[in-house]
Amino acid sequence: MADKEKTYTLTNDQTGESFQLPLVEGTMGPPCIDIRTLYAKAGVFTLDPSFTATGSCKSKITYIDGEEGILMHRGYDIKDLSENSNYLEVCYLLLNGELPDKKQMEQFEYNITHHTMVHEQVHAFFRGFRRDAHPMSIMCGTVGALSSFYHDSLDIWDARQREISAHRLIAKIPTLAAMTMKYAMGQPFVYPRNDLSYAANFLHMCFSVPAEEYKVSPVMEEAMDNILILHADHEQNASTSTVRIAGSSQANPFACIASGITSLWGPAHGGANQAVLEMLEEIGSKDRIPEFIERAKDKDDPFRLMGFGHRVYKNYDPRAAVLKKNCDEVLEELGVDNEPLLEIARELERIALEDPYFVERKLFPNVDFYSGIILKAMGFPSSMFTVLFAVARTVGWISQWKEMVEESPALKIGRPRQLYTGHTERKYVPIDKR
Ligand code: SDX
């Protein structure tokens, strides 16, 4: 006997009518009420403007337990991956669902490594930007334009073309990111090198100059690889949801990733890592922390404690915990002794986590709170911090896009409804009668 379908019953208290809706359960996390038949059955929509209680899709890629502060990719805990894996292996896992064996890893690494160059014409795109253009504005433009170079891999219904596009995006995004950094500095672009790891190659393209030999520091390589792992994917966050809704119209994968980059740029999202560093610099000293804590609590002040709070985590963001632990090690190994911003960050965290306002609202440090301090110590300008987030998150975006295109039933365009609160019908009034 098949299990009796689990349902929720919705009752209209005005008419007494009841409607049964299926309850669907996943492998972990809260079950969902499937409301796809709600309008047909009851003539009503649901209203959830920022999707605080709405599941937009089924997914097997990432799971977050916000209450417990848990993050898993394909069942592997982020701490386990951060300690034992590397970014390219995590890319394979996110894209394909399983950790690769040795042969699969070698093939994947070869494919990514041999797609890192961009077409020489892309260099011309940069010339149109001012040197002081925000690097994220250049990333939005150049990533979207990439589709014009790859007409051979834009058919989203062809599995091989989806795979090629995914490999091209993962491979080329660090090259474009490094080019934005060099362009801002007025230094020549540095070509990728196939003898370096993904993280080392990125550092080489960012920091080497033609005038002298550049040796990638193993400490920097390890720190970079770990930062990429920690930012790789994060369920249906704002930028991933943007990629999914763009992909639902059957837009090509390069255009979809460009849409993700635009959404990530916002200071409430990926732009927070740059905003955290600017906030710590504005605070300037520990004795000014109480002033900023009060501002963060003042409803009339738009100031928020950047790097604090999260829509899902109501506990310590596990990624922030890893970065906080790494901070000391990386700064010491980079010879950046007692970075004053780290002292301010630590004291700010201590005070905030004791303050009832933050405790009641379960506001903890998120991934952006410590990342900027490490990136600054590594020599990146704060304007590059969100670009680095975009480099890391590209694999998450393209994995979620691929899952959406490949899931069955066939891809449906995302088209939310609304609660209309505007005028009812009224007649046009000629201007001389108004
Ligand atoms: C990322 O979604 C993801 O997974 C994103 C991300 C990923 O990997 O993709 O994890 C990456 O974007 C991390 C978040 C980076 N953003 C910041 O650090 C910016 C500062 N944080 C806030 O803007 C805010 O916490 C959000 C945007 C992160 C979350 O906002 P929510 O869930 O919409 O929460 P909310 O605005 O409804 O806040 C709830 C309450 C409010 O107070 P009350 O109205 O209940 O009195 O908490 C307050 C807020 O005013 N609050 C803060 C605060 N964050 C929330 N007050 C002061 N400082 C803050 N940082």
Side-chain angles (χ1 to χ4, degrees), residues 93 117 119 275 364:
L93 174 67
M117 287 176 71
H119 193 291
F364 290 86

Side-chain angles (χ1 to χ4, degrees), residues 307-336:
F308 261 77
H310 199 276
R311 170 62 57 77
V312 175
Y313 288 125
K314 300 310 168 191
N315 201 319
Y316 214 101
D317 181 335
R319 302 166 297 174
V322 173
L323 284 168
K324 179 179 180 180
K325 188 171 83 54
N326 289 2
C327 249
D328 272 337
E329 293 155 21
V330 173
L331 266 61
E332 189 189 330
E333 281 159 348
L334 290 177
V336 181

